[in-house]
Amino acid sequence: MNELPEDEQDGSGLFVRSVEKAMRVLECFRHARNPMTLGQLATQTGYTKSTVQRSVHTLLELGYLARHSDGRLQSGLKCLDLAFQFLQPNPLISAAYPILLKLRDATGERTNLSLFDGTTLIYAIRLQSTKDYIYVSSLIGRRMPTFCTAGGRAMLAQLPREQAQQIVMASSRRPLTPQTKTDPSEIMAAVDVARAQGFASVVGEPVIGEVTVAAAVVGARGDPLGAVHLSSNISHCDPDEFVGRYAPLAIEAAHMLSEMR
Amino acid sequence: MNELPEDEQDGSGLFVRSVEKAMRVLECFRHARNPMTLGQLATQTGYTKSTVQRSVHTLLELGYLARHSDGRLQSGLKCLDLAFQFLQPNPLISAAYPILLKLRDATGERTNLSLFDGTTLIYAIRLQSTKDYIYVSSLIGRRMPTFCTAGGRAMLAQLPREQAQQIVMASSRRPLTPQTKTDPSEIMAAVDVARAQGFASVVGEPVIGEVTVAAAVVGARGDPLGAVHLSSNISHCDPDEFVGRYAPLAIEAAHMLSEMR
DNA sequence: TAATATCATATCGAATGCCGATACGGTCGT
DNA sequence: ACGACCGTATCGGCATTCGATATGATATTA
C-alpha cells in the first residue's frame, strides 16, 4: 500500500517507466567512446540485465541502436533522423543558417549557433573556419556548460539576475581549463559585464587557447533562446582585437534573429 | 523449436511495445512542418488518445519533446543529443571530417558524407559551398532515396548485383524531378556504369538543376558504408566538366576512408 | 586442459504498471 | 447557445512487463 509520492522525479501517473528506461539506456552512449555490452549498460544504468536486454532488443529493432562488428552495441542511424526532425521545422535554425554563413564568410572564423538549455547550451549549427582545418569535433549536439562559455554568459545576461545566479549555482562549475572561472561571484561579474556590453567574450575558459565572442538571441519576451558565437585560436590573432572587431558583427547577427519587437 | 509465425510484426517476446509506441509518436514529427496536437498524433499513429497522452507526457518529461508557445508539441532538444552520440564515437565520421574539409576547400563545392541505409541514404556530414549561400536545408539527418542519387548508386555498385536490384525494386521510385529515372533496368544500367567507372554521377534526378559526383566508402569486406558527394548547380558550371574534374577527387577521398585492405 | 568469468540469449510465473474508455473544463468557431 | 476541438485527469482490469534464472558460446586464466 505505498500510495505515497514514492517516486521522486516523475510526477503524475502518466509517466511510462519502460520508455524512460529505454531512453536512459540509449543515453548511456553519450559519453561512451566505444561500443558497449549489455552488462556495461546494466551497471551504468542500474537496471537489471533483463531490463536492459529488453530495452536493447527493442531499440535495435527500431534502429536507434546498432550492432558493432564484434557484437557490441552502438548508436543507430535513426538517431540522426531525430536531429533532422528537430532542426528542419525550427524557424530559428532556418533563419540563422544563411545569416551565419554570411557571417562566417565575412570573418573567416568558426561560427556557431547554440541553444539555451539551463545549465548547459547545445550547439545546433557549426560552421568551420575558412582558414584552419582543426577538427575540434565540431559536431551538432555537443553540450557545453553555460557558466563558462561566451554564449552561455551572453544568455545568462538576458535573464533576471537572480535567475541567472540560480543557474550558476546549479552548475557543477568543474573547471575545464586552468583558466575556467569557478567562483560564482566572479562568474556573475562576467555576466554583468556581458549585460552592460550586449555581448560576452571569454578567453581560454572552456577550451585552452580559444577566444570567443557571443551575443544572445532572445525571444519575444526578451528571454534567451540561443547565442551566436565567433571563435578563433589565440595563436592566430590578438584576443582583444578579435573581440573588438567581431563583437559588433555577432550582435548584429543575433539581433536579426531575435524576436523582440 | 517454436516456429510460431503467428506474431505479426515484432519478433521475440523481448519487444517492449510501450517503447515502440513512444518512438512512433516521436517519429511523427519527421514530416511535420508545424507543431502538432495530441489528436493529430493519435490519428497519425493510430493509437488511442490515452496512449499518445502517456507517450507524450513521458517524452516531454525526458526532453525529447517540447511545447511550442501555443501549447502544441514539437521536437525537444534532447533529440540533438542523440545525434551527437551517434557522430562522436563514429570512426568514419571523425576520419571523414578533415578529409571532406580539405576536399571542400580544394573544390569550393558542397561536400557531403552520406551513410548507407538500404533504400535510403542519410547525410552525416554536410559542408557548404564557399561560393553560393543557398540554404538547401543542408541539414544532418536528411534522408534521400538510394535509387536516384549519385551516392546511392555508387553504393549500390558495391553490392552484389542481385542485392542492388532487390533494393532498387524495394524502393518506391517516386520521381523527385521530371528527370528522375524510375525504370528499374535503367537504374541498374546506371549502377553498372558506376561500378565500371568507380564513381557515380547524376544530373537533376533528385534535385532540379543539381549535378553530383559521388564515390562509395566501403568496409573491410567491400560492403558499402557510405559515399562522398560533391555537388553544384548546373547554372554555375558545365556538368560534364564538373564530373570529369571532381570524380577523381571524390574517389580519392572515398578510398582514404575505406577499410578494404 | 580445466576452471572461471565474462558474454548474449532464452524462459516463465507473478504482479505490477500500462491500457483505453470515459469524464471534465477550457477555448475556439459558428 | 451549441458543437468540436483542445489538454488533462481518473480508474478498474488484465495484458505486459518484470527479473530471477538457465543455457551455451567465447575468452581469459592457471
Side-chain angles (χ1 to χ4, degrees), chain B residues 111-127:
Chain B
T111 305
N112 299 320
L113 179 76
S114 65
L115 302 178
F116 179 65
D117 196 25
T119 58
T120 63
L121 56 80
I122 184 164
Y123 286 109
I125 302 181
R126 313 205 69 171
L127 302 180

Side-chain angles (χ1 to χ4, degrees), chain A residues 17-141:
Chain A
R17 262 153 248 252
S18 4
V19 173
E20 181 193 29
K21 288 180 197 148
M23 300 318 273
R24 297 284 179 233
V25 167
L26 193 49
E27 289 166 9
C28 281
F29 294 84
R30 159 147 287 257
H31 297 293
R33 194 77 213 175
N34 296 314
M36 302 190 77
T37 68
L38 275 188
Q40 290 172 322
L41 291 169
T43 53
Q44 188 162 334
T45 56
Y47 300 142
T48 67
K49 210 169 103 175
S50 298
T51 297
V52 174
Q53 182 186 14
R54 255 174 283 115
S55 296
V56 161
H57 175 85
T58 308
L59 292 170
L60 267 175
E61 203 139 312
L62 295 175
Y64 292 94
L65 285 181
R67 287 210 178 279
H68 190 74
S69 44
D70 63 2
R72 307 212 307 284
L73 297 156
Q74 60 188 13
S75 252
L77 279 174
K78 274 280 194 72
C79 294
L80 285 186
D81 286 83
L82 292 186
F84 181 74
Q85 353 182 336
F86 175 86
L87 296 169
Q88 166 88 341
N90 193 314
L92 176 53
I93 304 296
S94 46
Y97 223 98
I99 291 176
L100 291 205
L101 267 175
K102 232 180 103 187
L103 183 56
R104 195 269 313 263
D105 286 321
T107 62
E109 305 290 355
R110 295 203 305 277
T111 307
N112 300 320
L113 179 76
S114 65
L115 302 179
F116 179 65
D117 195 27
T119 58
T120 63
L121 56 81
I122 184 164
Y123 285 109
I125 302 182
R126 312 206 70 170
L127 303 179
Q128 308 75 27
S129 159
T130 56
K131 301 172 186 170
D132 48 77
Y133 298 149
I134 42 172
Y135 168 63
V136 274
S137 80
S138 54
L139 296 177
I140 297 268

Side-chain angles (χ1 to χ4, degrees), chain A residues 10 14 16 26-27 29-30 33 54 58 61 64 76 78 81 85-86 88 97 105 128 133 143, chain B residues 10 14 16 26-27 29-30 33 54 58 61 64 76 78 81 85 88 97 105 128 133 143:
Chain A
D10 76 64
L14 294 172
V16 183
L26 193 49
E27 289 166 9
F29 294 84
R30 159 147 287 257
R33 194 77 213 175
R54 255 174 283 115
T58 308
E61 203 139 312
Y64 292 94
K78 274 280 194 72
D81 286 83
Q85 353 182 336
F86 175 86
Q88 166 88 341
Y97 223 98
D105 286 321
Q128 308 75 27
Y133 298 149
R143 284 185 186 268
Chain B
D10 68 63
L14 293 171
V16 181
L26 193 49
E27 289 166 8
F29 294 85
R30 158 147 287 257
R33 194 76 213 174
R54 255 173 285 114
T58 307
E61 203 139 311
Y64 292 93
K78 274 279 194 73
D81 285 83
Q85 353 182 334
Q88 165 89 340
Y97 222 99
D105 286 322
Q128 309 74 28
Y133 298 149
R143 285 186 186 265

Side-chain angles (χ1 to χ4, degrees), chain B residues 109-177:
Chain B
E109 306 290 355
R110 296 202 305 276
T111 305
N112 299 320
L113 179 76
S114 65
L115 302 178
F116 179 65
D117 196 25
T119 58
T120 63
L121 56 80
I122 184 164
Y123 286 109
I125 302 181
R126 313 205 69 171
L127 302 180
Q128 309 74 28
S129 159
T130 56
K131 302 171 185 170
D132 48 78
Y133 298 149
I134 44 172
Y135 168 64
V136 274
S137 78
S138 54
L139 296 177
I140 296 271
R142 175 178 279 279
R143 285 186 186 265
M144 293 293 282
T146 299
F147 79 92
C148 67
T149 48
R153 288 183 191 158
M155 294 193 272
L156 288 177
Q158 299 299 321
L159 290 173
R161 196 171 190 283
E162 190 194 348
Q163 213 171 324
Q165 183 135 24
Q166 277 174 14
I167 289 179
V168 171
M169 297 311 294
S171 301
S172 82
R173 297 199 302 285
R174 189 173 47 85
L176 300 186
T177 75

Side-chain angles (χ1 to χ4, degrees), chain A residues 136-155:
Chain A
V136 274
S137 80
S138 54
L139 296 177
I140 297 268
R142 176 177 278 279
R143 284 185 186 268
M144 292 291 284
T146 300
F147 79 93
C148 67
T149 48
R153 288 184 190 157
M155 295 192 272

Side-chain angles (χ1 to χ4, degrees), chain B:
Chain B
M1 262 287 143
N2 51 352
E3 77 284 21
L4 45 131
E6 90 286 88
D7 227 344
E8 318 84 20
Q9 59 268 52
D10 68 63
S12 80
L14 293 171
F15 194 75
V16 181
R17 262 151 251 249
S18 6
V19 173
E20 181 192 31
K21 289 181 196 144
M23 298 319 272
R24 298 283 178 233
V25 167
L26 193 49
E27 289 166 8
C28 282
F29 294 85
R30 158 147 287 257
H31 297 292
R33 194 76 213 174
N34 296 314
M36 302 190 77
T37 69
L38 275 189
Q40 291 173 320
L41 291 169
T43 54
Q44 187 163 334
T45 54
Y47 301 141
T48 67
K49 209 170 103 176
S50 297
T51 296
V52 174
Q53 181 187 13
R54 255 173 285 114
S55 296
V56 161
H57 175 85
T58 307
L59 292 170
L60 267 174
E61 203 139 311
L62 295 175
Y64 292 93
L65 286 180
R67 287 210 178 279
H68 190 75
S69 43
D70 63 2
R72 308 214 303 286
L73 297 156
Q74 60 188 14
S75 252
L77 277 173
K78 274 279 194 73
C79 293
L80 284 187
D81 285 83
L82 292 187
F84 181 74
Q85 353 182 334
F86 175 86
L87 296 169
Q88 165 89 340
N90 193 313
L92 177 53
I93 304 296
S94 46
Y97 222 99
I99 291 176
L100 291 204
L101 267 175
K102 232 181 104 190
L103 183 56
R104 195 271 312 263
D105 286 322
T107 62
E109 306 290 355
R110 296 202 305 276
T111 305
N112 299 320
L113 179 76
S114 65
L115 302 178
F116 179 65
D117 196 25
T119 58
T120 63
L121 56 80
I122 184 164
Y123 286 109
I125 302 181
R126 313 205 69 171
L127 302 180
Q128 309 74 28
S129 159
T130 56
K131 302 171 185 170
D132 48 78
Y133 298 149
I134 44 172
Y135 168 64
V136 274
S137 78
S138 54
L139 296 177
I140 296 271
R142 175 178 279 279
R143 285 186 186 265
M144 293 293 282
T146 299
F147 79 92
C148 67
T149 48
R153 288 183 191 158
M155 294 193 272
L156 288 177
Q158 299 299 321
L159 290 173
R161 196 171 190 283
E162 190 194 348
Q163 213 171 324
Q165 183 135 24
Q166 277 174 14
I167 289 179
V168 171
M169 297 311 294
S171 301
S172 82
R173 297 199 302 285
R174 189 173 47 85
L176 300 186
T177 75
Q179 285 142 54
T180 308
K181 291 189 178 110
T182 57
D183 176 23
S185 59
E186 233 182 316
I187 296 167
M188 285 307 293
V191 171
D192 292 335
V193 170
R195 186 170 23 243
Q197 292 182 142
F199 70 92
S201 65
V202 303
V203 180
E205 287 198 54
V207 178
I208 288 181
E210 188 186 77
V211 52
T212 302
V213 264
V217 176
V218 299
R221 285 177 300 281
D223 49 311
L225 301 179
V228 174
H229 303 233
L230 283 169
S231 299
S232 186
N233 199 291
I234 56 173
S235 62
H236 296 158
C237 67
D238 174 64
D240 289 333
E241 194 192 320
F242 182 88
V243 171
R245 178 154 23 137
Y246 293 141
L249 298 180
I251 292 173
E252 188 196 0
H255 186 74
M256 283 194 282
L257 296 170
S258 294
E259 294 169 9
M260 282 273 273
R261 304 166 209 285

